[in-house]
Amino acid sequence: MVKTLDKVDVVTVGVGWTGGIIGAECAKAGLKVRGLERGNKRGTADYLRVHDEFKYAIRYELMQDLSKETVTFRNNRKMRALPMRQMGSFLLGEGLGGAGTHWNGMTYRFLPYDMEIKSQTEKKYGKNKLSKEYTLQDWGITYDELEPYFDKFEKTIGLSGDNKNPFMGERSSDYPTPPMKKTPILKKFETATKELGYHPYMVPSANLSESYENPDGERIAACQYCGFCERFGCEYGAKSSPEITVVPTAMKTGNYDVRFHSNVTEVLKEGNKVTGVKFIDRQTGEEFIQPAEVVVLTSYVLNNAKLLMVSDIGEQYNPNTGRGTLGKNYAYQIGPGSSGFFDEQMNVFMGAGALGMTIDDFNGDNFDHQDLDFIHGASISLAQTGSRPILTNPVPPDVPVWGSEFKKASIENYSRTLSVFGQGASMPHKENFMSLDPDYKDAYGLPLLQITYNFTEQDRNLHKYITSKTESIMKEMGAKTVVPGAPLTDYDIVPYQSTHNTGGTIMGTDPNDSVVNNYLQHWDADNLFVVGAGNFPHNSGYNPTGTVGALSYRCAEGIIKYSKNGGSLA
Amino acid sequence: MANEKKGLSRRDFLKTTGIATGSIVGGGLIGGLIGYNMNDNGGTALEEKTGDTSKTGTSTRGRMFFSNDKDFKILSQATERIFPEDELGPGAIGLGVPYFIDNRLYGNYGNNSREYMQGPFFAGEATQGYQSKLTRAEIFTQGIQKMESEAESRFDTSFIELEGEQMDEILTDFQKDKIKMTGVSSAFFFKLLRQATLEGAYADPIYNGNNNMDGWRMKGFPGHQAAYINDIEKEKFMKMEPKSINSMH
């Protein structure tokens, strides 16, 4: 017996950054909004005993329970896809705040070049810079059009930054709060990169440099640099997250509620409209229908795509023909970098998630690619996030990984090792996509999402180039031993790389090559919106959340417009 | 475990005094012998006025998973080879790592509770990660039995009687995937064992490893500190007395 609940104006699937922003903006505009969250309620009071590397960083306390649902993965179509049985390469969120609870808070704006990557590449380097196998496209929106939404997100989270990046798109206002503290470790990077002629700036941080009240009246505290940020929640309420900003803002209106333990299994569609969603109550096993005027998919990249697939909305991408858009342009990120072993001990255990410095001299098209065998690049950073002892056992390459020599070297180098890393942009390729798995099912009997993904020639060339840059920076920093990262081989889902998965529900100006328009409104149903990093047609050389936040504000505006006037917004 | 022999070697002592077997040893004796304090309470140095609970002599630490003493000793010796005692301080046994692993195997970790364990199972490629039907508890049980049978067939004695180099030879073959195991590779088992050893050495002592926070002390990691906002700009390396999250009340 499926029980049908009372209709709401807007239902969001998941309550993290995207669901929280949509909830707050639509509820402020007078719409009745309900957030369906499959996980638990949680907040600052739940993080008081969070300085526990084993529980949170190793055993993934705040992450998705994979026994209920995971993805399957293969490197290419010839391989048999198998389940990701344990968390590794990326960390999926669950519960109020989603991955916005356990993010590091590095908050960038993608470059103006990113939104027009195809036209700018062709204009500057001709039509054949990349082969046709790379399914590059413009975003259907420009940086200038997105700027007000970036601005809004940054004010909501109180972003701390220094405005010293010459490569950034133009800003309508300065950072809401000043930059984080420049520590001795950061100064090493700053001095070295300046010496090399680059342009270091402080990582824009959502762990705030000072306490701040956002335009909605929410208070965010000042970061205490405790060194437990990524994979953890913040016990100070000093890391901007949905639980302490947009969710309470939405709640205050009286027009918003969240239903927990509610796992959405289907988007219901009739003709060219959606009518609501079906969900299962995880605690009772009961099925419900939540009717809504507008449905917004605000879960993670992977689940947004999966829900459209299992609901049979849109056309599944087919790599043989290139037809279909759903699941297309799945991209990730690559991690070139170098480690350096120093003589002096440093306070590596202190830090904050977004405490770091970055250069963009080799990101986007900020450098000439005429004689290079790749496009785009990477931000190159040094971050002092807090090195913790279980996961930080650095030893030079000639030292064994266990036994007495290992013990000595790992203890010796724990406080004497730094890393310089790139976040390498990821260009879409016709063979990298998402689809439904034919064999494996989740706890609700639905197929698992299947990811077909491997690194490409473009990735390998970019990786090699950026690795050598990180190596020269590390040498300049004075490390006695510099160990560059190994060359890129096949993508491996086991080691952690980044939770920067993108694509699959991409945005654009044409239903033939995108899933949603530039208001993140679905081409096949005017009252269905899909928002998140899944909208990125490619992935840039930065953390995605800043751009996800901007798209969420854009999407909220679209929903409010649609609620007044109806129809397609494109 | 009374030992009749005189002139015990350091290793024999560790093997036989019960540090590895769970019986309580007077802190003075151990402390005097091996230069650090064997704390009987599972290593949580409480910061309350009552101070060090080890003085009460009651141990809260115990075995949950391993019912067989020999299996537990094999595990203990293997972890000690991975993370040995040296001039820097205690090794895995002194840190209570075998208890940490035992306790983890009797729970979510051992039962793979939060992982996808539905079939069908196929070996897959290395890039696809863990694809075994076996839980970690089953893998450890089998791995320890395998270590013992390797010792028997190579050296005609139990793993726990071997010299360190002989143990290393066997462990290296596990690491290099030269040992045949059922439903899992020996390299994967070794990886689990190594990782669990490091976790036990450095996790908060509430999990029954990192005895007396000596893992943290050796490494210069101060554990749970509320804030570094007043120190983070200092050039000099800060040495602090570590704190467990158990210091919060």
Side-chain angles (χ1 to χ4, degrees):
Chain A
M1 243 329 275
V2 183
K3 191 176 167 199
T4 300
L5 303 171
D6 291 343
K7 195 173 195 177
V8 294
D9 295 323
V10 179
V11 66
T12 75
V13 178
V15 185
W17 271 126
T18 55
I21 290 168
I22 305 293
E25 294 304 296
C26 293
K28 282 194 285 184
L31 297 168
K32 293 280 179 201
V33 189
R34 171 160 296 159
L36 295 175
E37 171 54 54
R38 64 185 174 171
N40 259 317
K41 187 176 188 328
R42 62 187 181 193
T44 305
D46 299 303
Y47 311 136
L48 292 178
R49 304 177 85 86
V50 86
H51 292 182
D52 181 343
E53 182 187 15
F54 178 66
K55 183 177 185 175
Y56 293 93
I58 308 289
R59 304 299 309 147
Y60 308 126
E61 179 69 14
L62 299 175
M63 321 294 179
Q64 182 174 316
D65 178 353
L66 296 184
S67 72
K68 294 192 172 68
E69 188 179 358
T70 182
V71 298
T72 67
F73 159 71
R74 57 185 181 177
N75 286 112
N76 59 60
R77 289 191 279 155
K78 290 193 196 83
M79 263 166 89
R80 181 203 302 269
L82 293 173
M84 177 178 82
R85 297 186 176 277
Q86 304 180 345
M87 210 77 89
S89 174
F90 42 85
L91 300 174
L92 305 167
E94 179 167 292
L96 188 67
T101 298
H102 51 82
W103 68 316
N104 252 338
M106 297 179 178
T107 311
Y108 297 89
R109 300 176 172 202
F110 280 14
L111 296 157
Y113 159 81
D114 279 311
M115 286 101 201
E116 300 168 88
I117 190 166
K118 187 167 192 277
S119 44
Q120 288 207 17
T121 301
E122 287 180 357
K123 196 169 126 197
K124 197 164 164 188
Y125 305 110
K127 277 201 182 293
N128 303 320
K129 181 71 180 170
L130 282 190
S131 81
K132 289 227 180 340
E133 299 207 323
Y134 295 91
T135 47
L136 219 53
Q137 66 184 59
D138 290 354
W139 287 32
I141 198 163
T142 63
Y143 171 85
D144 289 343
E145 288 171 305
L146 264 183
E147 202 284 333
Y149 308 104
F150 277 120
D151 188 65
K152 200 161 181 176
F153 182 60
E154 291 176 5
K155 288 189 166 91
T156 296
I157 65 174
L159 194 62
S160 302
D162 69 4
N163 222 350
K164 286 188 175 159
N165 177 14
F167 299 104
M168 191 180 207
E170 208 169 320
R171 304 177 56 90
S172 57
S173 55
D174 201 353
Y175 286 96
T177 52
M180 300 283 275
K181 292 178 185 295
K182 204 175 279 176
T183 67
I185 290 174
L186 267 53
K187 284 177 186 162
K188 279 188 204 287
F189 178 85
E190 181 183 43
T191 307
T193 49
K194 275 188 172 164
E195 195 58 41
L196 292 165
Y198 308 145
H199 302 83
Y201 63 97
M202 291 293 286
V203 172
S205 168
N207 337 122
L208 301 199
S209 58
E210 57 185 41
S211 66
Y212 169 81
E213 185 174 312
N214 83 4
D216 295 312
E218 311 304 340
R219 291 209 66 88
I220 305 158
C223 174
Q224 300 298 302
Y225 300 88
C226 76
F228 287 86
C229 215
E230 93 280 357
R231 305 191 185 186
F232 306 85
C234 181
E235 76 275 25
Y236 291 104
K239 171 166 66 171
S240 285
S241 60
E243 310 94 290
I244 61 166
T245 55
V246 288
V247 172
T249 297
M251 291 289 183
K252 277 190 306 209
T253 63
N255 293 326
Y256 182 71
D257 66 11
V258 179
R259 195 184 190 284
F260 293 99
H261 313 291
S262 304
N263 198 109
V264 174
T265 52
E266 192 183 347
V267 181
L268 304 165
K269 185 165 179 272
E270 281 174 26
N272 61 358
K273 286 273 192 296
V274 292
T275 57
V277 296
K278 190 190 266 187
F279 69 89
I280 292 179
D281 185 310
R282 275 186 170 186
Q283 292 181 314
T284 63
E286 285 174 288
E287 278 199 310
F288 293 90
I289 286 173
Q290 176 62 65
E293 293 290 344
V294 174
V295 173
V296 197
L297 302 190
T298 55
S299 61
Y300 194 60
V301 177
L302 309 181
N303 197 58
N304 277 359
K306 172 182 163 161
L307 272 177
L308 292 172
M309 290 174 193
V310 297
S311 310
D312 202 18
I313 297 172
E315 188 183 350
Q316 171 65 45
Y317 168 70
N318 178 340
N320 287 318
T321 61
R323 279 185 55 85
T325 54
L326 180 56
K328 189 183 175 186
N329 285 29
Y330 174 76
Y332 192 44
Q333 233 164 20
I334 53 172
S338 295
S339 297
F341 296 86
F342 291 77
D343 285 324
E344 66 276 19
Q345 285 191 285
M346 295 164 278
N347 291 316
V348 295
F349 51 85
M350 304 178 184
L355 179 65
M357 292 195 82
T358 294
I359 59 163
D360 273 336
D361 297 71
F362 301 101
N363 202 358
D365 203 38
N366 302 339
F367 59 116
D368 188 44
H369 291 72
Q370 201 61 55
D371 301 323
L372 298 174
D373 49 7
F374 63 92
I375 63 165
H376 216 305
S379 60
I380 296 175
S381 316
L382 178 142
Q384 189 181 345
T385 56
S387 298
R388 292 170 293 268
I390 300 172
L391 285 177
T392 313
N393 291 286
V395 294
D398 55 340
V399 174
V401 295
W402 58 280
S404 57
E405 222 185 321
F406 165 78
K407 181 187 174 187
K408 279 191 189 69
S410 58
I411 287 174
E412 164 82 11
N413 289 306
Y414 163 69
S415 54
R416 294 178 172 88
T417 308
L418 299 175
S419 291
V420 168
F421 65 94
Q423 292 192 60
S426 174
M427 296 305 112
H429 188 276
K430 75 177 191 62
E431 291 295 333
N432 290 334
F433 63 98
M434 298 189 257
S435 52
L436 285 180
D437 192 272
D439 300 313
Y440 292 94
K441 301 271 190 292
D442 68 16
Y444 315 102
L446 295 171
L448 297 185
L449 182 82
Q450 181 179 93
I451 297 175
T452 305
Y453 181 73
N454 208 350
F455 296 131
T456 62
E457 193 63 21
Q458 145 84 25
D459 292 333
R460 282 183 248 282
N461 298 340
L462 187 156
H463 186 274
K464 189 174 163 198
Y465 183 88
I466 300 291
T467 300
S468 73
K469 298 294 173 200
T470 61
E471 194 179 4
S472 62
I473 293 167
M474 193 50 94
K475 280 188 182 138
E476 185 67 35
M477 282 168 61
K480 62 176 184 204
T481 311
V482 177
V483 183
L488 201 61
T489 52
D490 290 324
Y491 170 66
D492 180 346
I493 205 161
V494 180
Y496 183 76
Q497 287 145 82
S498 81
T499 310
H500 301 168
N501 320 67
T502 63
T505 56
I506 57 180
M507 63 191 291
T509 51
D510 180 349
N512 291 313
D513 61 20
S514 56
V515 174
V516 293
N517 64 28
N518 71 15
Y519 276 101
L520 302 319
Q521 180 184 35
H522 202 284
W523 290 111
D524 296 354
D526 291 343
N527 63 339
L528 172 63
F529 292 76
V530 184
V531 63
N535 302 139
F536 304 174
H538 71 279
N539 200 3
S540 182
Y542 295 121
N543 309 63
T545 305
T547 304
V548 169
L551 291 179
S552 303
Y553 279 104
R554 168 83 180 172
C555 181
E557 188 181 288
I559 295 163
I560 294 163
K561 264 189 191 168
Y562 171 84
S563 299
K564 287 193 182 111
N565 314 318
S568 172
L569 301 161
Chain B
M1 293 232 355
N3 197 297
E4 310 301 329
K5 282 195 280 178
K6 296 281 181 286
L8 288 176
S9 76
R10 182 64 209 92
R11 217 165 55 75
D12 284 340
F13 181 85
L14 272 179
K15 269 203 242 180
T16 54
T17 49
I19 301 188
T21 56
S23 50
I24 295 165
V25 180
L29 169 66
I30 299 289
L33 186 87
I34 49 183
Y36 56 89
N37 187 25
M38 180 69 191
N39 194 339
D40 291 337
N41 73 331
T44 34
L46 297 174
E47 289 207 330
E48 50 196 331
K49 287 193 183 68
T50 55
D52 185 349
T53 56
S54 66
K55 292 191 175 60
T56 64
T58 51
S59 174
T60 54
R61 177 196 274 162
R63 270 155 48 187
M64 304 172 189
F65 182 77
F66 288 99
S67 52
N68 179 302
D69 289 1
K70 194 178 187 184
D71 289 348
F72 188 67
K73 281 189 205 166
I74 294 167
L75 171 76
S76 303
Q77 293 303 321
T79 60
E80 184 71 17
R81 295 310 300 171
I82 289 169
F83 198 86
E85 187 195 326
D86 60 11
E87 66 276 12
L88 296 171
I93 291 175
L95 291 169
V97 168
Y99 287 93
F100 168 90
I101 295 176
D102 170 276
N103 294 183
R104 301 288 78 70
L105 287 170
Y106 194 69
N108 283 351
Y109 172 86
N111 296 318
N112 298 50
S113 317
R114 282 165 51 86
E115 285 142 29
Y116 190 81
M117 296 298 282
Q118 293 181 43
F121 290 89
F122 299 97
E125 302 289 332
T127 57
Q128 294 173 295
Y130 182 85
Q131 295 297 337
S132 177
K133 210 182 160 93
L134 303 174
T135 63
R136 291 188 191 89
E138 290 167 321
I139 292 171
F140 268 83
T141 302
Q142 192 196 138
I144 285 164
Q145 286 165 356
K146 264 278 182 265
M147 280 194 252
E148 182 66 353
S149 63
E150 287 297 317
E152 295 285 356
S153 66
R154 293 181 196 204
F155 306 110
D156 211 17
T157 181
S158 169
F159 188 88
I160 54 181
E161 299 301 331
L162 297 180
E163 291 304 317
E165 296 70 35
Q166 295 171 319
M167 291 182 187
D168 288 355
E169 182 191 306
I170 291 174
L171 287 169
T172 302
D173 282 353
F174 272 89
Q175 183 191 8
K176 290 186 172 165
D177 216 6
K178 288 182 178 168
I179 313 262
K180 180 121 188 58
M181 286 180 66
T182 305
V184 65
S185 73
S186 68
F188 186 80
F189 166 62
F190 183 83
K191 213 184 217 169
L192 278 185
L193 179 65
R194 174 190 178 268
Q195 177 65 19
T197 301
L198 291 175
E199 288 168 9
Y202 295 127
D204 193 288
I206 62 168
Y207 297 102
N208 280 343
N210 187 12
N211 196 13
N212 201 35
M213 299 185 285
D214 282 334
W216 288 349
R217 276 198 185 81
M218 284 188 279
K219 215 161 182 171
F221 176 73
H224 155 71
Q225 303 284 333
Y228 298 119
I229 189 163
N230 298 323
D231 299 317
I232 194 157
E233 288 169 294
K234 292 176 183 160
E235 288 283 348
K236 200 170 163 354
F237 182 70
M238 306 260 310
K239 286 201 167 81
M240 291 172 231
E241 179 59 21
K243 276 172 41 180
S244 161
I245 34 176
N246 223 21
S247 62
M248 301 170 75
H249 295 293

